Amino acid sequence: MGPKSELAYRTIRERVESGQYPPGSKLPSERKLIETIDIGRTALRQVLARLVREGLIEVYGRSSYRVPSQGAGVTPPDDLEPWKIHGERPLYDNRWVRLSMAEVQPPGMEPFEHHVVHLHHVAIAAIVDDRDRVLMLWRYRFVPQSFGWELPGGIVDPGEDAKATALREVEEETGWRPVELDHVVTYQPMIGMVDSPHEIFVGRGAERVGDPTDLEEAGHVAWVPLAEIPSMMQRGELAGSGTLVALLHILASRREASTDVG
């Protein structure tokens, strides 16, 4: 980041750490921050995205930010012990999946063997336009033998940044290039046995750059109104976990923002 961005970053960080922006409080609007800190909108959003990644602030609603509440919710215990892993041996390995057998031991129990499936690191992106529509693909998946709506996304290549993967996959699969993209959550879809980190990104706006280039992954591309998402869930048209997590995040953020305004 440039000098102005670094100054804006330090200014907002100091205001949070000093309590000028106390826990649970909303940050001033982007327009107000632009005026008071003397920074452009694009640079400001890069600064805010960095602060979100560092956990100093959080996103709620459309381009709205606040300082996380401290001490809210349930506090996890700090006296539990992790499982011991005495070893892990491979059973099957190729470029797509690795299956192994681990010898594990929960606290106070005897060791036992546990299957572990290692899949790829994945990045998924939800792009929303100024008409409250999300960029999606209608695809056929042969494993469940069904069609469904999905968000663009794919495997993070070795040494590649997950955000770069998300940007690349959106363009390759849809022909649209995102204007901005922010990380919102990383999760494991089947944490009991499968290791496959999924990183979710949300952005606003995209420009049309051509036709999809990844023909294997591409499907019917459409801008789907967010208002239709709940009924699509009820009809079972959104089966992918990354798609569901991203869309539920967007819907929850919008509902919370409308509640705050009310």
Side-chain angles (χ1 to χ4, degrees):
M1 293 192 297
K4 279 193 173 183
S5 297
E6 284 294 340
L7 177 60
Y9 169 79
R10 291 197 301 271
T11 298
I12 297 175
R13 186 177 186 92
E14 288 170 2
R15 291 177 181 178
V16 173
E17 293 177 341
S18 68
Q20 184 175 345
Y21 297 155
S25 68
K26 294 186 289 186
L27 265 65
S29 66
E30 288 186 352
R31 179 178 299 178
K32 188 68 174 178
L33 289 171
I34 289 170
E35 294 174 353
T36 58
I37 302 179
D38 187 26
I39 187 174
R41 184 177 298 274
T42 300
L44 173 64
R45 288 181 174 176
Q46 292 174 348
V47 169
L48 293 172
R50 177 181 174 183
L51 291 166
V52 169
R53 290 194 300 270
E54 294 175 355
L56 205 70
I57 62 174
E58 59 187 12
V59 183
Y60 77 103
R62 183 188 303 177
S63 301
S64 299
Y65 302 85
R66 67 182 173 196
V67 182
S69 299
Q70 296 179 354
V74 178
T75 302
D78 57 6
D79 58 348
L80 295 182
E81 298 180 15
W83 289 20
K84 293 180 180 178
I85 303 174
H86 297 292
E88 186 172 339
R89 56 187 172 89
L91 301 178
Y92 176 80
D93 191 3
N94 71 9
R95 60 176 294 197
W96 300 109
V97 60
R98 178 162 57 92
L99 175 64
S100 62
M101 184 72 76
E103 184 179 6
V104 298
Q105 184 178 11
M109 296 182 62
E110 293 296 318
F112 64 90
E113 291 190 318
H114 194 297
H115 284 87
V116 181
V117 180
H118 298 274
L119 301 179
H120 285 285
H121 181 190
V122 175
I124 298 163
I127 310 299
V128 181
D129 68 4
D130 57 3
R131 297 168 59 185
D132 282 345
R133 302 177 304 173
V134 62
L135 184 61
M136 302 193 73
L137 297 137
W138 178 256
R139 287 172 167 164
Y140 180 77
R141 293 297 188 181
F142 79 92
V143 175
Q145 299 183 32
S146 63
F147 282 95
W149 289 102
E150 297 181 16
L151 296 172
I155 295 170
V156 179
D157 291 335
E160 185 179 33
D161 177 73
K163 181 176 181 179
T165 300
L167 291 167
R168 171 174 55 79
E169 291 289 343
V170 172
E171 186 169 336
E172 290 178 354
E173 296 181 2
T174 70
W176 289 82
R177 180 176 296 158
V179 174
E180 61 179 77
L181 209 55
D182 293 321
H183 180 267
V184 295
V185 67
T186 300
Y187 77 100
Q188 292 274 5
M190 296 179 64
I191 199 167
M193 185 177 290
V194 179
D195 175 34
S196 178
H198 280 45
E199 300 204 41
I200 304 299
F201 295 84
V202 174
R204 289 201 65 85
E207 59 176 333
R208 177 75 170 165
V209 294
D211 294 326
T213 57
D214 189 342
L215 300 181
E216 180 181 349
E217 291 292 339
H220 171 68
V221 180
W223 287 94
V224 177
L226 286 171
E228 295 186 16
I229 297 301
S231 60
M232 292 166 66
M233 290 181 182
Q234 292 179 345
R235 295 194 299 269
E237 295 177 357
L238 307 174
S241 65
T243 294
L244 285 166
V245 169
L247 293 176
L248 287 171
H249 169 83
I250 292 173
L251 294 178
S253 298
R254 287 167 176 266
R255 180 176 181 180
E256 186 173 354
S258 64
T259 301
D260 288 345
V261 171

